[in-house]
Amino acid sequence: MPILLDEQRNYPLPEMHKVRQSFPRARLENIEACIERELTKEDISGKIKPGAKIAVAVGSRGIKNLALIVKEVVAQIKKHGGEPFIISAMGSHGGGTPEGQREVLASYGVTEEKMGVEIVTSVDAIPIGRTSGGINIYFDSVALGADLVVPINRVKLHTDFVGDIQSGLCKMLVIGLGNQVGCSSVHEADFDNFADILIEAAQMIMARAHVGFGVAILENAYDETAMVEAVPAEKIVAREKELVKIAKDNMPTLMVPDIDVLIVEEIGKNISGSGFDPNILGKSFLLKKFVLPVPEIKRMVLFDVTDESHGNAVGVGIFDVITRKVLNKLDLPLMYANALAVKSPEGSKIPITADSEEEALRFAIQLARGADRDRLKIVKIKNTLELGEIEVSDALLEHVAAHDKLTLV
C-alpha cells in the first residue's frame, strides 16, 4: 500500500459546493397511455395474432421505468389476443447463465409474479448465418421458435463505437439475443465499422426470425422517460437511425471543461454497459471519437459499485484510484465473462486501492501531475446518469458564476 507523506496526508482539502446543471427536460407523463396508443397503431397491432406465442425480449440495462414499460407492453399484447412471455436478452451479462440473467431481471422488478407471465432465461443460441465480413451470427433458440419477437430497449449513444445506429433495438437483436456465444462472436468485429455490422446482422435475423416490432425507449438528461415508440420490424433500421440523433440531443454533459480530479460516487451495469458513460467523461479504452463536449480530466476516483450491478464492475479499470469498498464488491468471474465476450480486458483491471474515500482522493491529488495544489479543480458526481446536481471545489466557483447553465445551490 502506497504511503502518503505527512504534508500530503494533512494538506487541507478544498471545500466542495453543490451546483445545479440545467438541461432540457422533455418528459413522458403518462407512460401506460402512450404504450397503449403505440401498440394500437395499425402497423403494430396487426402483427399480434390471437393465440400467438410472443417473446418479449428484455435486457440488463437499468432503464428508467423498465418494469412499468414491460408490464404494459405485455398487457397490451394480451389485450390484442397474443400470449406473451418474457425472455432475457443480455448477451454475456448475468455471467451468461440462466440463473444470473434471471437475477438481473428480478433486480429491475421484472419477475413472473409482477409481470404475470412466464420468464425464460435460456441462453442457448443457434447459428443463423455469417455476415459479408465473415462474422458468425447467433440467435436465441427460444426466440427463434416464437411466433413473434418483440425487443424492448433504450436507444442511446453506445459506449464503445460511433455510427448511424448504436445502442438500441438492432443491438438487442444481434448481441442481447445472441447470448454469450453470439455476443462473443460479434465482438470479433472491428469497432470502426461495428454499426454497419449490427445493421447487416439485424437484417439477417429479421429475415429468419419472426420479429414483429420493437419498443424503443428514449430518456432525457435527467434519466427520465422522454419517449416510448413501437417500431414495426420493417422500419427498425431506418427509424433507429433517427432515434439515435434524438437521443444524442437529450444527453447530459459535464459542464466543467478542466478538472484535476473527478470523483465518481458509483458505477454499475444498471448505469451503463461500461459502468459509466464514456460519452460524458471522455474516457474510454475503446471509443475513439466523442460526439459530445467532454472535459479534460487528469485523474479519476471511484467510491462504490451499485448493488444492481451484482459485482460486475466492468469499467473500473478506467479509474486511477478506487476504495477498498469497491474492491470488496468485485465479482471477478462475472467481470471476466463480460470482458472475454467483448474482447476488452482493460475495463476489468484493478486500479490503486485506498482504504477510505479521503485517502483515495489524496492519492488522486498526488497523481494529478501539474495540478495547482492551492487551487485544486475537483468535481464530484453521483454517476453519469444523474448529472442534474454536481459538486465543485472552490477553484471552480468563478467558472460556475460565469456559466448560464450552472447555478450554485
Side-chain angles (χ1 to χ4, degrees):
M1 174 66 67
I3 302 298
L4 290 168
L5 300 175
D6 286 342
E7 62 180 26
Q8 296 158 341
R9 185 185 299 113
N10 300 319
Y11 196 86
L13 297 173
E15 185 178 352
M16 301 295 289
H17 309 270
K18 288 186 178 181
V19 170
R20 184 174 298 114
Q21 297 197 124
S22 298
F23 307 104
R25 199 166 190 168
R27 179 170 46 186
L28 187 58
E29 299 295 343
N30 193 328
I31 294 171
E32 296 98 323
C34 174
I35 293 173
E36 183 177 8
R37 288 194 304 270
E38 288 295 308
L39 267 68
T40 304
K41 294 187 303 189
E42 188 175 347
D43 57 355
I44 300 298
S45 62
K47 295 177 182 293
I48 305 172
K49 306 302 181 185
K53 304 295 184 183
I54 300 178
V56 178
V58 183
S60 55
R61 294 292 182 260
I63 299 169
K64 195 73 171 183
N65 299 310
L66 178 63
L68 173 64
I69 293 168
V70 173
K71 186 173 183 177
E72 188 60 29
V73 168
V74 165
Q76 290 302 317
I77 290 173
K78 287 180 177 178
K79 182 178 177 180
H80 289 284
E83 297 181 9
F85 63 96
I86 293 169
I87 57 173
S88 58
M90 57 184 79
S92 63
H93 298 173
T97 68
E99 300 78 15
Q101 296 196 351
R102 186 173 292 271
E103 183 180 351
V104 170
L105 290 177
S107 71
Y108 296 138
V110 180
T111 65
E112 292 183 345
E113 294 75 21
K114 292 179 180 177
M115 299 296 108
V117 293
E118 181 187 9
I119 294 179
V120 178
T121 56
S122 168
V123 294
D124 293 331
I126 295 174
I128 63 166
R130 292 166 67 105
T131 67
S132 56
I135 301 295
N136 291 314
I137 302 302
Y138 297 80
F139 196 66
D140 184 274
S141 59
V142 174
L144 196 59
D147 297 320
L148 210 66
V149 180
V150 177
I152 300 177
N153 203 17
R154 177 178 55 200
V155 176
K156 66 184 289 291
L157 299 186
H158 199 273
T159 59
D160 299 333
F161 67 92
V162 174
D164 290 338
I165 67 163
Q166 298 189 37
S167 185
L169 300 175
C170 288
K171 180 172 176 283
M172 174 171 274
L173 288 172
V174 177
I175 296 177
L177 285 168
N179 297 331
Q180 176 88 12
V181 62
C183 173
S184 183
S185 178
V186 172
H187 280 89
E188 292 284 354
D190 193 317
F191 278 123
D192 287 343
N193 60 342
F194 208 75
D196 293 335
I197 292 166
L198 283 183
I199 291 172
E200 182 183 359
Q203 290 171 332
M204 288 172 56
I205 288 168
M206 288 188 282
R208 173 82 180 271
H210 302 117
V211 180
F213 58 92
V215 178
I217 304 164
L218 270 71
E219 295 177 346
N220 63 23
Y222 294 90
D223 187 33
E224 298 167 332
T225 307
M227 180 178 171
V228 178
E229 181 176 323
V231 185
E234 59 272 19
K235 296 180 180 179
I236 280 179
V237 172
R239 181 55 177 157
E240 190 163 322
K241 291 179 181 180
E242 298 170 344
L243 293 176
V244 166
K245 295 177 182 177
I246 299 172
K248 173 180 173 290
D249 292 338
N250 285 346
M251 289 278 287
T253 58
L254 194 49
M255 299 180 195
V256 182
D258 186 16
I259 301 171
D260 293 326
V261 177
L262 176 70
I263 302 168
V264 179
E265 289 189 25
E266 61 182 13
I267 64 169
K269 298 297 284 188
N270 58 313
I271 293 167
S272 174
S274 296
F276 68 97
D277 196 331
N279 293 289
I280 291 169
L281 301 187
K283 297 279 190 179
S284 176
F285 291 117
L286 297 172
L287 194 59
K288 299 175 182 177
K289 176 183 176 184
F290 299 103
V291 297
L292 299 174
V294 294
E296 289 289 335
I297 304 171
K298 289 186 176 68
R299 297 296 179 187
M300 298 205 306
V301 177
L302 176 64
F303 283 172
D304 201 358
V305 178
T306 63
D307 292 338
E308 294 90 339
S309 203
H310 302 278
N312 187 351
V314 164
V316 69
I318 203 76
F319 290 86
D320 301 292
V321 187
I322 62 174
T323 61
R324 190 160 298 280
K325 183 178 183 180
V326 171
L327 184 67
N328 291 340
K329 281 192 173 184
L330 303 185
D331 187 323
L332 295 181
L334 278 183
M335 292 171 61
Y336 294 166
N338 198 168
L340 290 167
V342 302
K343 314 292 189 293
S344 178
E346 295 86 357
S348 296
K349 294 181 178 180
I350 299 174
I352 289 175
T353 303
D355 286 329
S356 67
E357 293 181 356
E358 180 179 333
E359 186 178 55
L361 175 56
R362 290 186 182 277
F363 282 176
I365 292 171
Q366 184 178 346
L367 291 167
R369 183 178 287 111
D372 183 347
R373 297 297 191 271
D374 294 321
R375 286 185 54 80
L376 286 167
K377 291 174 285 187
I378 301 175
V379 174
K380 183 179 182 181
I381 66 173
K382 180 176 175 59
N383 55 53
T384 54
L385 276 182
E386 301 174 66
L387 291 169
E389 192 172 277
I390 64 175
E391 292 183 35
V392 306
S393 61
D394 294 323
L396 291 167
L397 290 179
E398 186 176 339
H399 171 74
V400 171
H403 201 296
D404 63 348
K405 294 184 179 179
L406 296 177
T407 306
L408 187 65
V409 178

